[in-house]
Amino acid sequence: MVVDGIAGEPFDSISWPYAISDDGRVAYAARQGGRQHLVVGAQKSRAYRQVAFPALSPDGASSACAASDGDGWFAVVDGQEGPVYDWIGHLTLDSRGRVAYVAESRGRSFVMSDRKGADFDRVTKPALTPDGRPIYGGRRNGQWLLVVGERETP
């Protein structure tokens, strides 16, 4: 990948989507030798079977992605691996490096942030309020609710 005219390390392939911070830092998933890495600037993560949904905080100081070694998916936030779920995605980071993402386990969807959110049939991509609470839509029994932190509003 070439960013601002500077070529990065060559890889076998680079996956879409990319993440771009307010200061122009770029994060992406790159395949090399049958494994994938999260690449942020000139730094690459350890190798995983799969990497998806790269995310950067607005200032580019924190990075995150979904990763798998073949037995489920987990979030990697600033190099730290989280709990394993059936699937995760739609990661978002705020300016303080707080993360929120969608996770699925045993047929239920929920949002993970500093704690596990309530179970739903389906959830939308979360955002974070200025004080770090996740905000998202959740559908349960056919009804969509707005969720802010732990509060659900029809």
Side-chain angles (χ1 to χ4, degrees):
M1 169 157 302
V2 178
V3 178
D4 290 332
I6 300 170
E9 180 177 344
F11 294 100
D12 298 337
S13 65
I14 294 172
S15 299
W16 181 89
Y18 316 120
I20 302 172
S21 66
D22 291 346
D23 67 354
R25 189 171 300 196
V26 178
Y28 55 93
R31 182 167 297 284
Q32 187 173 48
R35 305 286 283 175
Q36 285 189 306
H37 304 269
L38 173 66
V39 180
V40 181
Q43 303 295 315
K44 69 180 181 182
S45 70
R46 79 165 182 88
Y48 296 99
R49 185 173 183 182
Q50 290 180 281
V51 171
F53 299 104
L56 288 171
S57 60
D59 65 2
S62 291
S63 63
C65 69
S68 175
D69 280 325
D71 294 319
W73 288 84
F74 47 91
V76 181
V77 181
D78 293 331
Q80 300 297 309
E81 298 172 3
V84 177
Y85 299 104
D86 296 338
W87 179 85
I88 70 159
H90 305 297
L91 291 87
T92 188
L93 287 160
D94 71 4
S95 60
R96 294 186 183 170
R98 295 177 291 211
V99 66
Y101 57 90
V102 175
E104 294 180 1
S105 182
R106 298 184 187 115
R108 304 301 293 168
S109 296
F110 50 93
V111 168
M112 284 295 299
S113 57
D114 59 343
R115 66 180 65 87
K116 179 186 174 293
D119 286 343
F120 289 93
D121 302 324
R122 184 170 183 162
V123 295
T124 63
K125 179 180 179 176
L128 289 163
T129 63
D131 63 357
R133 294 177 297 155
I135 180 170
Y136 57 96
R139 186 182 71 202
R140 186 183 299 124
N141 301 321
Q143 180 182 17
W144 281 97
L145 304 169
L146 174 65
V147 182
V148 181
E150 297 178 9
R151 183 176 178 192
E152 300 175 7
T153 305

